Amino acid sequence: QVHLAESGGGLVQAGGSLRLSCAASTSTFSSYAMGWFRQAPGRDRESVAKISGNGGVTFYEDSVKGRFTISRDNAKDTVYLQMNNLQPEDTAVYYCAARPGGLSPWLGVADFGSWGQGTQVTVSS
């Protein structure tokens, strides 16, 4: 288990930007694939973006491609989600998650064993 702490959420107008951060408490951060997920009220938690341990491989859900960018700084044990051109439908609680080992595009919620507490993102129209 890895302790994860998200920050950077908030209220933004449509078309605006936010950058989420997730700090991990582990000395082997680069051995973990990381993901950002979100959950809107009344909906299942869904994948947003995922990144491999060395940052060389990334996957995005179609709804955020071209607007969101996932990145990581292994020297700081931190993963980021840059969100541009935010829309009201992006409103949700955003969670970061970690899993040891490799990354595949079909990995979902059940494949990640460590989760942060979540940070609220609200986009007004």
Side-chain angles (χ1 to χ4, degrees):
Q1 289 285 333
V2 178
H3 180 72
L4 302 171
E6 303 98 334
S7 61
L11 173 64
V12 64
Q13 290 187 331
S17 298
L18 284 174
R19 188 175 84 152
L20 305 182
S21 299
C22 173
S25 63
T26 174
S27 60
T28 59
F29 182 64
S30 62
S31 70
Y32 287 84
M34 300 296 295
W36 284 99
F37 296 76
R38 66 186 179 186
Q39 188 166 18
R43 301 188 66 173
D44 293 335
R45 192 170 299 189
E46 64 176 4
S47 174
V48 175
K50 298 181 282 283
I51 189 167
S52 62
N54 65 4
V57 178
T58 58
F59 299 108
Y60 297 91
E61 293 306 300
D62 287 346
S63 61
V64 306
K65 282 180 181 177
R67 300 188 299 124
F68 290 12
T69 302
I70 189 171
S71 62
R72 64 191 296 160
D73 184 340
N74 286 346
K76 296 182 178 179
D77 298 339
T78 300
V79 62
Y80 305 97
L81 185 68
Q82 177 67 43
M83 305 185 293
N84 298 329
N85 191 22
L86 282 159
Q87 299 300 313
E89 53 266 33
D90 295 315
T91 295
V93 177
Y94 283 70
Y95 300 88
C96 70
R99 72 180 304 270
L103 183 67
S104 299
W106 55 80
L107 292 177
V109 171
D111 300 301
F112 287 77
S114 298
W115 292 83
Q117 81 286 352
T119 186
Q120 177 70 48
V121 171
T122 303
V123 185
S124 63
S125 58

